[in-house]
Amino acid sequence: MTLKKRIFLLFFLSAFIPFISIFAISYYTIDSIFVNKINDGIRSNLQQVTSSLENSITNLNHVTQQLSYSGTLGKKLDEVLQPSSNIIELIEARDELKNELNVVTFTNPNIGLTLYYFQKEGATQFANFPIKDRFAPESLPVLFKSYGIAYYGPHISMNRFNDQLVLSAMRKVQLPQRDDVYIYVESGFRLTQNILGYNQYQGALSHLILNGEGQIVYSEIPETMKVGENFFSLSKSAAKDGISRDYHWFKEDSAQNWSVISVISQAKYQQEKNQWLLQILLVALFFLGFTVFLAWLLWKMVYKPLGLFHSEINGMSQNPQKAGSQTRTHIPEFDFLLGEFSNMQHQIGDLFKEVQQKEKIRADLEVEKLLYQINPHFLMNTLDTVHWLAVMNGQGEIDKLVQSLNKLLYYNLGKLGQVSTMEEEIDALRQYLVLQQIRYDFEFDVRISADDHVLQIPVPRFILQPLVENSLYHGLSDEGFIQIEVTLTKTLNILIQDNGAGMTEEAIQKLLNNRIAEHKKVGMGIGLNYVHRMLRAQYGDQAQLVIESELGTGTSILLILPIKGEDVRG
């Protein structure tokens, strides 16, 4: 046998034989589990339906008892039916009876149509709902009778405005003067329909209701099992479950001498088990296909090409600039990959040489940069000398200018890489404003308001100065003012407002996103674009920079910075 055939045979035997064995054992086990699961589910549903119907019938019994002569309403009915010459008293008695009857039905939501039926006249009175054209309780399917009360199985309501299924009961009122008066009561709106509609099999389960003699008084499958037929003659069995006319059935007897039967077709009964069997077969086919696929892959993945690749990779890891091997496997696909691998080795070698050259150039540039770099301390010491010369010569303006410039440069150059506080930012801003007020030939007012407990909160360096500089460079004139407010809520809020010329939305976007325009303008060379990028780098999406401006009115800039609990210092 060839290697290919051996691989296929071994994979088939090793994968399929264990699967067949497991399937055979699992089938009988799971078949038993499914049967028990389905039977238990149907019986649980059947018990629930039977219990709910029993409760509804018991409730009907209680209500009819209230309305009979032994109850208060029955006695009032007897008074109303007594002959009386006083029409007003008769009307009042009838109204009182109606009101009390409505109270009984209103306080019991599981009760629907309620009325008194006078059998001799075939008339009804005191109904709480309009009734259908002909009230004929003798045509209703009798479920059972007990102690002079007739209970009727599910039927269409006598309520003119309700065509739902209901249960009903009719009891003789037992009036002293009349023996033909009955109280008729139906179950509530949709109650019976909801009880019979309760099942966990999505409509696959149907119900039959039998009277004490086994006669079907209600059927949800009348085309197969009709009302009026004797169920036991159909099933030929008085057991609790069985199969009849391609239906599985399960019976639950009530203590009230009636029964409920749940029926499910053979197809629906077997559906879940058949679905499981189909899934197992699909899995078996998948395993067979996967086994064949693995065998094919193993046959294709021969040792020699893999060994050659391994050798080439080891050689490249030891010497990345080594030229690729010219060894070939005589398999076109592998030879192509080996050729590509060889080209990659050449490219990596070239990249190594290029990186080495760039590193040499970068080192040379660093040396050259150091040669031209001005020592910050030398610059500040020189400005300090200029300051003392200005003091000695009585040049107050020059002295003030040099001091502010010295402090600003110290803040800029002396704290590289360090975090600033809000207090230091405000102090640097004051020095910047001194320089600008000396430089400009117009007066402007800057008002700074900051809560004491925000001064020690850490912030990025140079975030205030660009915002104020924006106000100076965009239309501020004589009698202009800039209002700066720093407050603390759950965030650090910096609000800068001016009464300058304002800006368009296009100008605002240009300031935020155009780095070239920022560098070309006069000033410190730190603009809104710097603040925007700094916030993105430091806080991501947690910080906000909101600019609102109106031409001829002024500009408002709101900076919202997130803070941590440990950032708030006394």
Side-chain angles (χ1 to χ4, degrees):
M1 293 177 66
T2 63
L3 177 62
K4 179 180 179 181
K5 291 181 179 179
R6 293 184 183 188
I7 291 174
F8 273 82
L9 181 61
L10 286 174
F11 267 75
F12 180 84
L13 294 177
S14 62
F16 217 70
I17 291 178
F19 181 81
I20 290 295
S21 302
I22 294 173
F23 174 79
I25 296 171
S26 300
Y27 177 80
Y28 293 104
T29 303
I30 296 179
D31 179 74
S32 175
I33 292 173
F34 268 110
V35 169
N36 291 334
K37 172 191 170 186
I38 295 171
N39 290 356
D40 290 345
I42 293 176
R43 287 201 176 279
S44 174
N45 177 82
L46 183 58
Q47 290 171 359
Q48 178 71 26
V49 171
T50 304
S51 175
S52 298
L53 290 174
E54 284 179 342
N55 291 337
S56 298
I57 290 173
T58 301
N59 192 41
L60 291 175
N61 177 48
H62 290 328
V63 174
T64 58
Q65 189 173 4
Q66 284 182 276
L67 303 180
S68 66
Y69 186 76
S70 59
T72 57
L73 290 178
K75 291 182 173 59
K76 287 188 177 296
L77 176 66
D78 186 52
E79 294 175 5
V80 169
L81 296 178
Q82 293 297 328
S84 174
S85 59
N86 193 328
I87 301 300
I88 295 176
E89 289 181 358
L90 181 61
I91 293 174
E92 289 178 348
R94 291 177 64 88
D95 290 340
E96 185 178 357
L97 177 61
K98 284 184 180 180
N99 291 335
E100 292 192 16
L101 186 61
N102 288 334
V103 169
V104 171
T105 56
F106 180 78
T107 55
N108 195 330
N110 292 327
I111 294 300
L113 175 64
T114 303
L115 55 86
Y116 285 100
Y117 174 56
F118 298 82
Q119 190 177 42
K120 288 181 179 179
E121 295 90 351
T124 61
Q125 290 191 42
F126 307 109
N128 59 343
F129 291 104
I131 61 176
K132 290 184 168 62
D133 294 335
R134 183 175 179 274
F135 181 78
E138 60 274 5
S139 64
L140 300 178
V142 178
L143 185 60
F144 73 101
K145 294 183 179 181
S146 176
Y147 300 104
I149 308 173
Y151 297 94
Y152 302 104
H155 60 86
I156 300 299
S157 172
M158 292 291 183
N159 185 339
R160 181 179 299 175
F161 304 114
N162 179 13
D163 289 326
Q164 302 290 330
L165 290 174
V166 295
L167 297 172
S168 61
M170 194 163 71
R171 175 199 288 259
K172 186 176 290 188
V173 180
Q174 302 288 356
L175 295 177
Q177 305 299 326
R178 297 193 61 170
D179 194 42
D180 65 324
V181 182
Y182 295 84
I183 178 68
Y184 175 82
V185 180
E186 290 183 355
S187 59
F189 182 68
R190 290 184 178 274
L191 177 64
T192 306
Q193 202 125 343
N194 291 337
I195 293 173
L196 295 174
Y198 169 79
N199 74 79
Q200 57 187 335
Y201 292 92
Q202 300 179 348
L205 203 61
S206 301
H207 297 97
L208 307 174
I209 297 181
L210 313 181
N211 60 20
E213 289 74 39
Q215 190 177 23
I216 300 174
V217 298
Y218 170 76
S219 173
E220 290 182 347
I221 49 171
E223 66 282 356
T224 304
M225 299 181 181
K226 300 178 181 179
V227 174
E229 291 185 295
N230 190 289
F231 178 79
F232 297 121
S233 65
L234 297 176
S235 63
K236 299 178 182 180
S237 172
K240 290 290 185 179
D241 57 65
I243 299 176
S244 177
R245 296 184 179 179
D246 293 327
Y247 279 87
H248 278 266
W249 57 267
F250 302 82
K251 184 165 71 75
E252 182 72 17
D253 295 323
S254 169
Q256 298 169 342
N257 195 28
W258 51 271
S259 305
V260 179
I261 293 180
S262 292
V263 294
I264 185 170
S265 67
Q266 287 272 44
K268 293 290 185 180
Y269 185 84
Q270 298 289 341
Q271 183 177 9
E272 192 171 0
K273 187 168 65 174
N274 292 339
Q275 287 176 348
W276 172 81
L277 183 60
L278 178 61
Q279 291 172 355
I280 292 295
L281 292 176
L282 291 175
V283 170
L285 292 175
F286 172 79
F287 267 92
L288 178 60
F290 188 70
T291 300
V292 173
F293 176 72
L294 287 180
W296 178 80
L297 280 182
L298 189 61
W299 175 67
K300 293 293 289 182
M301 295 177 185
V302 293
Y303 175 79
K304 183 178 177 180
L306 292 178
L308 184 57
F309 267 107
H310 181 71
S311 175
E312 290 292 322
I313 291 172
N314 282 340
M316 188 182 71
S317 63
Q318 295 173 6
N319 183 9
Q321 300 186 49
K322 174 185 174 183
S325 173
Q326 299 299 318
T327 307
R328 294 292 179 265
T329 64
H330 304 293
I331 300 175
E333 291 82 357
F334 279 108
D335 287 342
F336 172 78
L337 292 176
L338 286 170
E340 292 294 314
F341 189 82
S342 179
N343 293 336
M344 184 183 69
Q345 284 181 290
H346 286 294
Q347 292 174 4
I348 291 174
D350 293 339
L351 287 174
F352 265 91
K353 292 177 182 179
E354 184 179 349
V355 169
Q356 289 172 351
Q357 184 66 24
K358 287 183 177 180
E359 284 295 317
K360 184 177 182 304
I361 294 173
R362 190 181 66 82
D364 293 339
L365 289 174
E366 288 293 331
V367 173
E368 186 176 355
K369 178 181 176 183
L370 290 174
L371 293 176
Y372 291 100
Q373 188 173 25
I374 298 176
N375 190 320
H377 295 286
F378 169 75
L379 179 59
M380 287 184 285
N381 289 338
T382 302
L383 288 173
D384 196 46
T385 302
V386 174
H387 154 65
W388 285 112
L389 287 173
V391 171
M392 293 170 62
N393 290 284
Q395 299 293 328
E397 286 294 317
I398 296 176
D399 175 34
K400 186 178 180 183
L401 180 67
V402 170
Q403 282 194 71
S404 295
L405 179 59
N406 195 13
K407 290 180 180 179
L408 194 58
L409 288 174
Y410 177 78
Y411 181 68
N412 186 21
L413 301 175
K415 295 195 62 177
L416 291 174
Q418 299 182 27
V419 177
S420 296
T421 63
M422 197 68 237
E423 183 177 20
E424 292 170 331
E425 269 292 292
I426 293 174
D427 186 59
L429 176 62
R430 294 184 194 278
Q431 304 307 322
Y432 169 77
L433 291 172
V434 169
L435 295 176
Q436 296 299 72
Q437 285 173 338
I438 294 173
R439 176 186 175 195
Y440 283 99
D441 58 354
F442 64 88
E443 295 293 331
F444 58 88
D445 183 22
V446 179
R447 308 162 194 167
I448 301 177
S449 172
D451 298 340
D452 291 339
H453 50 276
V454 305
L455 297 179
Q456 298 305 315
I457 294 179
V459 293
R461 299 172 67 246
F462 279 103
I463 58 170
L464 277 181
Q465 178 264 315
L467 305 181
V468 175
E469 187 177 51
N470 176 76
S471 296
L472 292 175
Y473 288 160
H474 291 89
L476 202 65
S477 59
D478 285 331
E479 299 183 0
F481 74 86
I482 301 174
Q483 178 72 36
I484 303 169
E485 295 181 4
V486 185
T487 58
L488 178 68
T489 55
K490 292 183 179 179
T491 57
L492 182 62
N493 310 303
I494 302 171
L495 177 64
I496 299 175
Q497 295 175 300
D498 65 63
N499 61 346
M503 297 180 292
T504 63
E505 183 64 27
E506 181 180 359
I508 292 173
Q509 294 303 320
K510 186 175 181 182
L511 287 173
L512 288 174
N513 301 304
N514 193 339
R515 297 176 62 179
I516 297 176
E518 292 289 338
H519 288 301
K520 286 183 177 180
K521 73 177 186 180
V522 294
M524 291 283 293
I526 304 173
L528 290 181
N529 179 263
Y530 162 81
V531 178
H532 192 221
R533 289 185 291 117
M534 174 63 73
L535 295 180
R536 292 292 297 274
Q538 290 281 343
Y539 303 106
D541 294 333
Q542 294 182 335
Q544 297 182 49
L545 177 59
V546 182
I547 302 177
E548 296 180 355
S549 186
E550 184 176 347
L551 292 175
T553 302
T555 302
S556 172
I557 301 176
L558 176 61
L559 187 60
I560 302 175
L561 303 180
I563 58 173
K564 299 179 181 178
E566 59 270 18
D567 290 342
V568 182
R569 306 166 188 166

